[in-house]
Amino acid sequence: MAIILGDNRYGKAENRIVRIFRDESRHEIRDLNVSTALRGDFAAAHLVGDQSNVLPTDTQKQTAYAFAKQKPLGTIESYGLDLARHFVDDVPPVTGARVEIEEYAWERVRVGGVEADHTWVRRGQEVRTASITVEGSGDDRRTWVTGGLKDLVILKSTGSEFHGFLVDRYTVLQPTTDRIMATSLVAKWRFAHAEVDWDAAYAGIRRILVEQYATVQSLALQQTLYEMGRAVLEAYDEVVEVRLSAPNKHHFLYDLSPFGIENPGEVFHADDRPYGLIQASVLRDDAPDPGPAWDAYTGLV
Amino acid sequence: MAIILGDNRYGKAENRIVRIFRDESRHEIRDLNVSTALRGDFAAAHLVGDQSNVLPTDTQKQTAYAFAKQKPLGTIESYGLDLARHFVDDVPPVTGARVEIEEYAWERVRVGGVEADHTWVRRGQEVRTASITVEGSGDDRRTWVTGGLKDLVILKSTGSEFHGFLVDRYTVLQPTTDRIMATSLVAKWRFAHAEVDWDAAYAGIRRILVEQYATVQSLALQQTLYEMGRAVLEAYDEVVEVRLSAPNKHHFLYDLSPFGIENPGEVFHADDRPYGLIQASVLRDDAPDPGPAWDAYTGLV
Amino acid sequence: MAIILGDNRYGKAENRIVRIFRDESRHEIRDLNVSTALRGDFAAAHLVGDQSNVLPTDTQKQTAYAFAKQKPLGTIESYGLDLARHFVDDVPPVTGARVEIEEYAWERVRVGGVEADHTWVRRGQEVRTASITVEGSGDDRRTWVTGGLKDLVILKSTGSEFHGFLVDRYTVLQPTTDRIMATSLVAKWRFAHAEVDWDAAYAGIRRILVEQYATVQSLALQQTLYEMGRAVLEAYDEVVEVRLSAPNKHHFLYDLSPFGIENPGEVFHADDRPYGLIQASVLRDDAPDPGPAWDAYTGLV
Amino acid sequence: MAIILGDNRYGKAENRIVRIFRDESRHEIRDLNVSTALRGDFAAAHLVGDQSNVLPTDTQKQTAYAFAKQKPLGTIESYGLDLARHFVDDVPPVTGARVEIEEYAWERVRVGGVEADHTWVRRGQEVRTASITVEGSGDDRRTWVTGGLKDLVILKSTGSEFHGFLVDRYTVLQPTTDRIMATSLVAKWRFAHAEVDWDAAYAGIRRILVEQYATVQSLALQQTLYEMGRAVLEAYDEVVEVRLSAPNKHHFLYDLSPFGIENPGEVFHADDRPYGLIQASVLRDDAPDPGPAWDAYTGLV
């Protein structure tokens, strides 16, 4: 009954890389949070402290910043693919690389009604996310890409019901046919391959998620999530699975009756905790095995 | 040499009030974080635990929610005035009230290119703020209103210099004629009176702040802030003072020279801490004394 | 090529339950953050909005608070087992339950050198964690329990080296034989069964983790983590696997040479981001399959 | 009616300085968050972008790190005094300096029951704070020092009442003679002069605050705060004023009656928002004018 080293990886998390494109008088900006992790034969580092196979996390950082200049950096997915392939292909002990990226959106400010060339404010709350996992070389090369978003805070003031639920001895909740439904959505979608127009896919999927949230008459957050995932899969052949995690951010109708005031769905208390938390996957029945696609490196707290 | 009770106040902080207006088929939403604080003769509560003059913080909360329905709630400034005046006028021991409000902006989602009637996503990062202070009754009534914003994350990729500064034995900084300048702006403006078109003032002042940030060729963040405040005061007669607090969110040019890569203002590291922090007030030379206008109740951490 | 519902679960996250035991004049306190999630046949809720199989998340909340009184609540592991078993055994559509708990530690204050009976301050930064997963009934019943801790901020000012690492064209890091090593540890350990003295195991495992961190001459954080896991497994037969995730919280020696000041390991800058992030599992070679033990419900951001 | 520059200052905030003392085999650690701000004749920087009077914030940072080695750094108060005096005395345009410091406490881990020489874990949640303000030179030199703490999370499970309060039409709160009282205390104390045993004062004042919280039979949080401040002033001649800001972190008794379960003060829900917020100053009637002592530079969000 021996004690052994199990699964392991290491890298540099949260490199805050800002890339300005200034070839034209009108600058462009990309604002990234890049994390890299490597797998490979690192047993000696763990067992006897031998670093000869270990590319320092500092080097991973340097590489991430260097690639922000050396590579096109058109999208976070393409940049992540460049970075992950480099580690697997160019660093001998590395057999697999995972790159996770968050992108913060900026919008140009307007001056006298005209978009400024060099000045932006942060746009929205939501963060675009991607993960790229590359394993093996040559014929054994395998690649998984997921896109996603998080912190998309969305609310509908009607069109949400919740009734007909199971009742047990601890159930005091009253059914409702009209409530606020709000969430801070985390959505991730898994691509079938890496030949994708990443920006177009992101924009289109985000639009579908939001439209479904707005238009589905919700009988439960579960149903809304399913319809969101389903619609994405119907629209994008290159997506094989959508995973959704949605806190039900409760807005409780405030009881104004002690003051003789009616409150027909107008004044709410937005509560912090606890919150419902619904998680679901929607996928094609012939979706390939996800492998390590969903195996998050950062973000666990 | 006696020990005495000094300045004191108490209230309920961070009431998360969401108000839906649903008289029309197209709903409206206001999403507020409301804090109230009362001053008055509360010495007995402190000295001997006698609560007979103390309106509970719970009551302040109930009142804030009730007023969200009973009062027009057109703007946070007008709602705050209603609430503060109520406490001073209707609760005998109360001689002064402070209401501080944050408002979170939402924007309608689009479905098929058309704005939805009942669904929104959180807009931007910035938060609109206001404080209302009311003291005294009848002829002694005095009122102070400040508007503001916070968390306005803004960045310019050129048009910022910093050179010609004082050098001492601890100075290693190199002068620059072109850098990124970024901040997360906190701005507050003090009104001369309470007869203001609050929403118009907010929109106009925000626009001026952003335009000045974008267009002033900056020789220092200090200069930019001054020009922002000055322009607001020139445009709005009803504003007598602007206070600005701006972290200089450093974006350091990344050194790629060890890899033989030139980096002419393209790849930056966005650092977290430390950060420069510039604070300035710009005001009219005949501005009235601010009294308690700037005496923040919440927000200190 | 149909679209189908994949893995799904739902529950109530972050119930902030505080339990006071006041049978004796000397009170006891347990301060918990409880999340529950259910699996089962909830396809109808997703596909057609039929809630007849859905026990509301509100009911899960009520149950968690009720059990805080009805059950002994001796440890978070035993309380979580009671709760998870109840959902699987007493709610027909539920086939599996996951309970995740954080516990915040308090220590009694001293008054005149003597421990107070009713007053505490929060102790330390670290949080004790546990997850309980129960699936199936009768002979098919399976149970997985993990214990853990997070946010254990630990630092050693010497006894840490890093050299002999792999060098590529992006490597600029200099080797060192003496550095600060600091982390904010997340550790989780998987139990072989549920017949454990939970409090004793927690205290003992925490002690071992800390002692190993302090005493192992570290050639890399990887090595330190391995030695921590190994020592736990050697001491506790009932533990079959230890998972560790450790940010390398960099403390950079500050360059004071421009000022003619030597700095032999005395003044450091504690940097925020990026940080190294090392993750490893240490386990018995005959450890049973983890099943859903590591499949976290909450905590992803 | 001209527009003028009002009050202004600038500096470097949140320098995360860690100082290791390694002259003995048993190391010592001080872990600081240091912010500095300067006042003086900086009008030209604001009005015309002339930096010739402006010592860069980067220089302030370098100085803070250099002083961590050059100066004794016995306490945060003495270190802050050294730093503030340097800026005023050695940088000609500077007429006033403010230094604000947070200190994070560490405690030695034990190995085999014995304290380790080089390894610590973060102790507690609370943060020690200090502010040092120095203005003028020579005979005009004035100095203000405040000490303090924040984030001291303290709870008592009995010995707290709240009744006999003012009732108006919005009052629904029920009086109670036994409740949980919990807060996350912010306390600051102003010293009469700068000839103080800073560490002894901190330890003693913290002890008094905690003991008063524990032992005063509380009729309101107001009363508890007053008794805390009063006791500090009675014990420490060198303290002239104590300011306290205390959120009333509500613990609501959970209603278990729908389930036929009695709950006599045993199961509570710890709510996040809103919270009561009580602020009070306790001072000597002959306390000198506070001047800029309370004029916080950082910490406003």
Side-chain angles (χ1 to χ4, degrees):
Chain A
M1 189 197 66
I3 292 169
I4 57 173
L5 176 67
D7 189 34
N8 64 88
R9 55 184 168 172
Y10 77 102
K12 192 70 105 188
E14 302 205 37
N15 295 284
R16 289 285 293 107
I17 301 174
V18 174
R19 177 68 162 95
I20 303 293
F21 297 90
R22 46 198 305 163
D23 307 315
E24 314 286 334
S25 64
R26 182 184 175 89
H27 293 186
E28 301 288 340
I29 184 171
R30 296 208 88 141
D31 184 0
L32 309 183
N33 194 14
V34 179
S35 300
T36 65
L38 306 182
R39 293 187 197 273
D41 182 8
F42 306 124
H46 292 83
L47 301 183
V48 295
D50 176 349
Q51 312 303 320
S52 56
N53 271 358
V54 172
L55 190 74
T57 66
D58 185 79
T59 301
Q60 297 180 43
K61 174 179 74 169
Q62 305 294 346
T63 310
Y65 282 89
F67 271 45
K69 169 68 177 162
Q70 288 185 292
K71 302 291 175 177
L73 187 45
T75 64
I76 55 176
E77 290 87 354
S78 63
Y79 164 79
L81 282 163
D82 283 336
L83 204 48
R85 286 167 178 158
H86 159 72
F87 289 125
V88 175
D89 290 341
D90 300 343
V91 184
V94 174
T95 58
R98 169 96 174 179
V99 179
E100 296 183 358
I101 309 181
E102 299 180 346
E103 179 168 14
Y104 310 114
W106 294 81
E107 65 181 341
R108 290 181 193 279
V109 305
R110 289 176 176 274
V111 177
V114 179
E115 284 189 348
D117 281 344
H118 317 113
T119 307
W120 302 262
V121 291
R122 279 283 303 275
R123 173 157 53 87
Q125 303 242 320
E126 81 225 45
V127 175
R128 178 174 169 179
T129 62
S131 77
I132 295 90
T133 312
V134 171
E135 291 191 356
S137 301
D139 291 348
D140 292 332
R141 167 64 54 90
R142 293 202 60 191
T143 302
W144 296 265
V145 180
T146 69
L149 54 77
K150 65 176 189 177
D151 302 340
L152 176 68
V153 180
I154 187 166
L155 177 150
K156 61 192 300 183
S157 56
T158 189
S160 168
E161 315 178 24
F162 190 62
H163 47 77
F165 43 75
L166 188 66
V167 171
D168 75 355
R169 65 169 294 216
Y170 294 107
T171 301
V172 295
L173 185 72
Q174 295 302 305
T176 179
T177 56
D178 191 11
R179 61 173 184 172
I180 285 182
M181 185 170 76
T183 192
S184 176
L185 186 69
V186 179
K188 298 182 182 179
W189 43 91
R190 175 159 59 103
F191 290 101
H193 52 76
E195 304 303 317
V196 173
D197 181 340
W198 306 111
D199 279 349
Y202 180 80
I205 292 170
R206 183 197 181 280
R207 183 181 51 73
I208 290 170
L209 293 173
V210 166
E211 287 189 355
Q212 289 294 102
Y213 194 91
T215 56
V216 170
Q217 176 71 18
S218 179
L219 298 174
L221 189 43
Q222 280 91 328
Q223 181 204 22
T224 297
L225 296 181
Y226 180 76
E227 292 300 322
M228 293 163 76
R230 189 186 55 73
V232 169
L233 290 166
E234 287 182 351
Y236 285 87
D237 287 345
E238 62 262 49
V239 176
V240 297
E241 182 179 7
V242 180
R243 291 201 175 181
L244 301 142
S245 180
N248 193 341
K249 294 168 73 83
H250 302 305
H251 286 67
F252 294 117
L253 192 68
Y254 205 84
D255 180 11
L256 300 177
S257 63
F259 320 124
I261 303 171
E262 288 189 55
N263 185 14
E266 295 177 302
V267 177
F268 295 86
H269 170 63
D271 208 36
D272 295 301
R273 293 191 294 183
Y275 49 90
L277 181 57
I278 318 297
Q279 297 174 337
S281 164
V282 187
L283 72 167
R284 300 184 192 284
D285 63 0
D286 64 351
D289 183 82
W294 300 119
D295 186 12
Y297 173 54
T298 55
L300 261 175
V301 292
Chain B
M1 190 197 63
I3 292 168
I4 57 173
L5 176 68
D7 189 34
N8 63 89
R9 55 185 167 170
Y10 77 102
K12 192 69 104 189
E14 302 205 37
N15 295 285
R16 291 284 293 106
I17 301 174
V18 174
R19 177 69 161 94
I20 304 292
F21 297 90
R22 48 198 305 164
D23 306 316
E24 314 287 333
S25 64
R26 182 183 175 90
H27 292 185
E28 302 288 341
I29 185 171
R30 296 208 89 142
D31 183 0
L32 309 183
N33 194 12
V34 179
S35 299
T36 65
L38 306 182
R39 292 188 199 274
D41 182 8
F42 305 124
H46 292 84
L47 302 181
V48 296
D50 175 350
Q51 312 304 320
S52 55
N53 271 358
V54 172
L55 190 73
T57 66
D58 185 79
T59 302
Q60 297 180 45
K61 173 179 76 168
Q62 306 294 347
T63 310
Y65 282 89
F67 272 44
K69 168 69 176 162
Q70 287 185 295
K71 302 292 175 176
L73 187 44
T75 65
I76 55 175
E77 290 87 354
S78 63
Y79 165 78
L81 282 163
D82 283 336
L83 204 48
R85 287 168 179 156
H86 159 73
F87 288 125
V88 176
D89 291 343
D90 300 343
V91 184
V94 174
T95 59
R98 170 96 173 179
V99 179
E100 296 183 357
I101 309 181
E102 299 179 347
E103 179 169 14
Y104 311 114
W106 295 81
E107 65 180 343
R108 290 181 194 279
V109 305
R110 288 176 177 275
V111 177
V114 179
E115 284 189 348
D117 282 343
H118 318 112
T119 308
W120 302 262
V121 291
R122 278 284 303 277
R123 174 156 53 86
Q125 303 241 321
E126 82 225 46
V127 174
R128 179 174 170 178
T129 62
S131 77
I132 295 91
T133 314
V134 171
E135 291 191 357
S137 301
D139 291 348
D140 293 332
R141 166 64 54 89
R142 293 202 60 190
T143 303
W144 296 266
V145 180
T146 70
L149 55 77
K150 65 175 188 179
D151 302 340
L152 177 67
V153 181
I154 187 165
L155 177 150
K156 61 193 299 182
S157 56
T158 189
S160 168
E161 315 178 23
F162 190 62
H163 48 77
F165 43 75
L166 188 66
V167 170
D168 75 356
R169 65 169 295 217
Y170 295 107
T171 301
V172 294
L173 186 73
Q174 295 302 305
T176 179
T177 56
D178 191 12
R179 60 172 184 173
I180 284 182
M181 186 169 76
T183 192
S184 176
L185 185 70
V186 179
K188 298 181 182 179
W189 42 90
R190 174 161 59 104
F191 290 100
H193 52 77
E195 305 302 317
V196 173
D197 181 340
W198 306 111
D199 279 349
Y202 180 79
I205 292 169
R206 183 196 181 282
R207 183 181 51 74
I208 290 170
L209 293 172
V210 165
E211 287 189 355
Q212 290 294 102
Y213 193 90
T215 57
V216 170
Q217 176 71 17
S218 178
L219 298 174
L221 189 45
Q222 280 90 329
Q223 182 205 20
T224 296
L225 296 182
Y226 180 77
E227 292 300 323
M228 293 163 76
R230 189 187 56 73
V232 169
L233 290 166
E234 288 182 351
Y236 285 87
D237 287 344
E238 62 262 49
V239 176
V240 298
E241 183 179 7
V242 179
R243 291 200 175 182
L244 300 142
S245 181
N248 193 341
K249 293 167 75 82
H250 302 305
H251 287 66
F252 294 117
L253 192 68
Y254 205 83
D255 181 12
L256 300 177
S257 64
F259 320 123
I261 303 171
E262 288 189 56
N263 185 14
E266 295 177 303
V267 178
F268 295 86
H269 169 64
D271 208 37
D272 295 301
R273 293 190 295 183
Y275 49 90
L277 182 56
I278 319 296
Q279 297 174 337
S281 164
V282 187
L283 72 167
R284 302 184 191 283
D285 63 1
D286 65 349
D289 183 84
W294 300 119
D295 187 12
Y297 172 55
T298 55
L300 262 173
V301 291
Chain C
M1 189 197 66
I3 293 169
I4 56 174
L5 176 67
D7 189 34
N8 64 88
R9 55 186 168 171
Y10 77 102
K12 193 69 108 188
E14 303 206 37
N15 295 285
R16 290 286 291 106
I17 302 174
V18 174
R19 177 70 161 94
I20 303 293
F21 297 89
R22 47 198 305 163
D23 306 316
E24 314 286 332
S25 64
R26 182 183 174 89
H27 292 186
E28 302 288 341
I29 184 171
R30 295 208 91 141
D31 183 1
L32 309 183
N33 194 14
V34 179
S35 299
T36 64
L38 306 182
R39 293 187 198 274
D41 181 8
F42 306 124
H46 292 84
L47 301 182
V48 295
D50 176 350
Q51 312 304 321
S52 55
N53 270 358
V54 172
L55 189 75
T57 66
D58 185 80
T59 302
Q60 296 180 44
K61 174 179 77 169
Q62 306 294 346
T63 311
Y65 282 89
F67 272 46
K69 169 68 177 164
Q70 286 186 295
K71 302 291 175 176
L73 188 44
T75 65
I76 54 176
E77 289 88 354
S78 64
Y79 165 78
L81 281 163
D82 283 336
L83 203 49
R85 287 167 178 157
H86 159 72
F87 288 125
V88 175
D89 291 342
D90 300 343
V91 184
V94 174
T95 58
R98 170 94 173 180
V99 179
E100 296 183 358
I101 308 181
E102 299 180 346
E103 178 168 15
Y104 311 114
W106 294 82
E107 65 181 341
R108 289 180 194 278
V109 304
R110 289 176 176 274
V111 177
V114 179
E115 284 189 347
D117 282 343
H118 317 112
T119 307
W120 302 262
V121 292
R122 278 284 302 277
R123 173 156 54 86
Q125 303 242 320
E126 83 225 45
V127 174
R128 178 174 170 179
T129 62
S131 77
I132 295 90
T133 313
V134 171
E135 290 191 359
S137 300
D139 291 348
D140 293 331
R141 166 65 54 88
R142 292 202 60 192
T143 302
W144 296 266
V145 180
T146 70
L149 55 77
K150 66 176 189 177
D151 302 340
L152 176 68
V153 182
I154 187 166
L155 177 150
K156 62 193 298 184
S157 56
T158 190
S160 168
E161 315 178 24
F162 190 62
H163 47 77
F165 42 76
L166 188 65
V167 171
D168 74 357
R169 64 168 295 214
Y170 295 106
T171 302
V172 295
L173 186 73
Q174 295 302 305
T176 179
T177 56
D178 191 10
R179 60 172 184 173
I180 284 181
M181 186 170 75
T183 193
S184 177
L185 185 69
V186 180
K188 298 181 183 180
W189 42 90
R190 174 159 59 103
F191 291 100
H193 52 76
E195 304 303 316
V196 173
D197 181 339
W198 305 110
D199 279 349
Y202 180 79
I205 292 170
R206 182 196 181 282
R207 183 181 51 73
I208 290 170
L209 293 172
V210 165
E211 288 189 355
Q212 291 293 103
Y213 193 91
T215 56
V216 170
Q217 175 71 18
S218 178
L219 298 175
L221 189 44
Q222 279 91 328
Q223 182 205 20
T224 297
L225 296 182
Y226 181 76
E227 292 299 323
M228 293 162 77
R230 190 187 55 74
V232 170
L233 290 167
E234 288 183 351
Y236 285 87
D237 287 344
E238 61 262 50
V239 176
V240 296
E241 182 179 8
V242 180
R243 291 200 175 183
L244 301 142
S245 180
N248 193 340
K249 295 168 72 81
H250 302 305
H251 286 66
F252 294 117
L253 192 67
Y254 204 84
D255 180 11
L256 299 177
S257 64
F259 321 123
I261 303 171
E262 289 188 55
N263 185 13
E266 294 177 303
V267 178
F268 295 86
H269 169 65
D271 208 35
D272 294 301
R273 293 190 296 184
Y275 48 91
L277 181 57
I278 318 297
Q279 298 174 338
S281 164
V282 187
L283 72 167
R284 302 185 191 282
D285 62 1
D286 64 350
D289 184 84
W294 300 119
D295 186 13
Y297 172 54
T298 55
L300 260 174
V301 292
Chain D
M1 189 197 66
I3 292 169
I4 57 174
L5 177 67
D7 189 34
N8 64 89
R9 57 185 166 172
Y10 78 101
K12 193 69 108 190
E14 302 205 38
N15 295 285
R16 290 285 292 107
I17 302 174
V18 174
R19 178 69 162 94
I20 304 293
F21 297 89
R22 47 199 304 163
D23 307 316
E24 313 286 333
S25 64
R26 181 183 175 90
H27 292 186
E28 301 288 340
I29 185 172
R30 296 209 88 141
D31 183 359
L32 310 182
N33 194 14
V34 179
S35 301
T36 65
L38 306 182
R39 292 187 198 274
D41 182 8
F42 305 123
H46 292 83
L47 301 183
V48 295
D50 176 349
Q51 311 304 320
S52 56
N53 270 359
V54 173
L55 190 74
T57 65
D58 185 80
T59 302
Q60 297 180 44
K61 175 180 74 170
Q62 305 293 347
T63 311
Y65 282 89
F67 272 46
K69 168 69 177 163
Q70 287 185 294
K71 302 292 175 176
L73 188 45
T75 64
I76 54 175
E77 290 87 353
S78 63
Y79 165 78
L81 282 163
D82 283 335
L83 203 50
R85 287 167 178 157
H86 158 73
F87 288 125
V88 175
D89 290 342
D90 300 342
V91 185
V94 174
T95 59
R98 170 95 173 180
V99 180
E100 296 182 358
I101 308 180
E102 299 179 347
E103 179 168 14
Y104 310 113
W106 294 81
E107 65 181 341
R108 290 180 194 278
V109 306
R110 288 175 177 275
V111 177
V114 179
E115 284 189 348
D117 282 344
H118 317 113
T119 307
W120 302 262
V121 292
R122 278 282 304 276
R123 174 157 53 85
Q125 303 243 321
E126 82 226 45
V127 174
R128 178 173 170 179
T129 63
S131 77
I132 295 91
T133 313
V134 171
E135 291 191 356
S137 300
D139 291 348
D140 293 332
R141 167 64 54 90
R142 293 202 59 189
T143 302
W144 296 265
V145 180
T146 70
L149 55 77
K150 65 176 188 178
D151 302 340
L152 177 67
V153 181
I154 187 167
L155 177 151
K156 62 193 299 184
S157 56
T158 189
S160 169
E161 315 178 22
F162 190 62
H163 47 77
F165 43 76
L166 188 65
V167 171
D168 75 355
R169 64 169 295 215
Y170 295 106
T171 301
V172 295
L173 186 73
Q174 295 301 305
T176 178
T177 57
D178 191 11
R179 60 172 184 173
I180 284 182
M181 186 169 76
T183 192
S184 175
L185 186 69
V186 180
K188 298 181 182 179
W189 42 90
R190 176 159 59 104
F191 290 101
H193 52 77
E195 305 303 316
V196 173
D197 181 341
W198 305 111
D199 279 350
Y202 180 80
I205 292 169
R206 183 197 181 281
R207 184 182 50 73
I208 290 169
L209 293 173
V210 165
E211 288 189 355
Q212 290 293 103
Y213 194 91
T215 56
V216 170
Q217 175 71 18
S218 179
L219 298 174
L221 189 44
Q222 280 91 329
Q223 181 205 21
T224 297
L225 296 182
Y226 181 77
E227 292 300 322
M228 292 162 77
R230 189 187 56 73
V232 169
L233 291 167
E234 287 182 351
Y236 284 87
D237 287 345
E238 61 262 50
V239 176
V240 297
E241 183 178 6
V242 179
R243 291 200 175 182
L244 301 142
S245 181
N248 193 340
K249 295 168 73 83
H250 302 305
H251 287 65
F252 294 116
L253 193 66
Y254 206 83
D255 181 11
L256 299 177
S257 64
F259 321 123
I261 303 171
E262 287 189 56
N263 185 14
E266 295 177 302
V267 178
F268 295 86
H269 170 63
D271 208 36
D272 295 301
R273 293 191 295 183
Y275 48 90
L277 180 57
I278 318 297
Q279 298 175 337
S281 163
V282 187
L283 72 167
R284 300 184 192 284
D285 64 0
D286 65 350
D289 183 84
W294 301 118
D295 186 12
Y297 173 54
T298 55
L300 260 175
V301 292

